[in-house]
Amino acid sequence: MPLLDLTVVEAFDLHPGLRRVVFTCADGLPGYKPGNDLVFLLPLPDGTEGRRHYTIRGADAAKGTLWVDFVMHADTPGPRFARTARAGDRVQARGPRGRTFLRDTGFHLMIGDETALPAILHMIEALPQGAAVRAIVEVPDAGWEQPVPAGTDAEIRWVHRNGPARPSSLLGGALAASGLTLGQGTAYLLAETGTVRALRHRLQDEGATKDQLVCEGYWRPGREGGHDHI
């Protein structure tokens, strides 16, 4: 993967639990597809360097900028970096990378928690107007809801967890209650690893094939950094 040199332009809070950092990237984003992530190389308390995966929330090729939304869920390397980021700060990242990107299908079903909000919203923005897309997103509470991207026909169902992030059946229950069927479309399942596995099994039991499922575990209890390919 290419090694990118990123420079902070600005950083600001979208919500007390979500902070956006805007970067310039002199090398551009070779091969970038909406939904891809970057592997940030961030300092760890022991003086070593850690790899942390964050989805690109958006990019402006003409300006040479990109932005990343950091969920401020704990005192870990990603949130620490975002909290202290100031204009002119520099950081390196590898990418763009990942198996999460839009497929060319007639219907798109996107399911995830707050860690997947950047990927889901950016992929929705990248779809042509009139594309059939439905999303189910689990968030801590109503304050985390974001507007449906303008110029799209997406529908987002918000599921309020009303508590800390944890493996749960909330997304599976919301999917069952929605009555949505995948048909010949593509499902993008992006959340806690165990939750994603349960959603994958549910859709496979309903007839979905492997090629129709884009599955990635963004986090799991007790682990810092990395994604699980499912």
Side-chain angles (χ1 to χ4, degrees):
M1 290 183 290
L3 182 62
L4 307 177
D5 291 311
L6 307 178
T7 302
V8 175
V9 176
E10 61 177 335
F12 53 91
D13 292 335
L14 297 170
H15 174 276
L18 194 65
R19 186 167 178 80
R20 176 167 295 176
V21 182
V22 182
F23 303 91
T24 57
C25 181
D27 300 321
L29 294 171
Y32 170 61
K33 299 176 182 178
N36 284 173
D37 63 58
L38 293 175
V39 183
F40 282 81
L41 308 180
L42 300 174
L44 301 180
D46 63 3
T48 61
E49 194 172 66
R51 297 159 56 91
R52 296 296 185 267
H53 296 239
Y54 282 93
T55 303
I56 299 166
R57 173 60 182 85
D60 186 329
K63 295 181 179 180
T65 59
L66 64 96
W67 45 101
V68 175
D69 292 349
F70 292 80
V71 177
M72 309 296 286
H73 51 68
D75 185 25
T76 53
R80 279 198 298 269
F81 167 79
R83 190 176 296 115
T84 61
R86 299 292 183 271
D89 289 352
R90 300 182 67 182
V91 66
Q92 290 186 315
R94 292 196 177 276
R97 59 157 303 282
R99 303 175 185 178
T100 300
F101 55 86
L102 288 169
R103 273 43 173 189
D104 185 16
T105 53
F107 174 63
H108 303 268
L109 175 62
M110 302 181 183
I111 306 177
D113 59 22
E114 64 267 31
T115 64
L117 264 176
I120 289 174
L121 293 174
H122 190 28
M123 288 193 293
I124 289 175
E125 289 172 346
L127 286 167
Q129 187 166 8
V133 55
R134 300 292 181 268
I136 302 173
V137 183
E138 176 189 328
V139 291
D141 53 52
W144 280 77
E145 295 185 17
Q146 295 191 34
V148 176
T152 74
D153 295 315
E155 292 181 11
I156 301 178
R157 176 176 180 178
W158 299 97
V159 180
H160 300 157
R161 186 172 60 241
N162 297 316
R166 61 187 183 277
S168 77
S169 60
L170 287 175
L171 286 172
L175 174 60
S178 72
L180 291 169
T181 56
L182 189 56
Q184 299 301 308
T186 299
Y188 308 81
L189 312 177
L190 312 167
E192 187 274 328
T193 295
T195 300
V196 170
R197 286 198 179 103
L199 290 166
R200 181 195 66 181
H201 290 315
R202 175 186 291 273
L203 290 172
Q204 286 177 324
D205 289 344
E206 294 175 358
T209 66
K210 180 180 178 180
D211 291 343
Q212 291 180 274
L213 303 177
V214 178
C215 305
E216 198 159 2
Y218 275 6
W219 65 278
R220 52 186 160 92
R223 184 196 62 185
E224 289 186 17
H227 284 181
D228 290 322
H229 299 298
I230 300 173

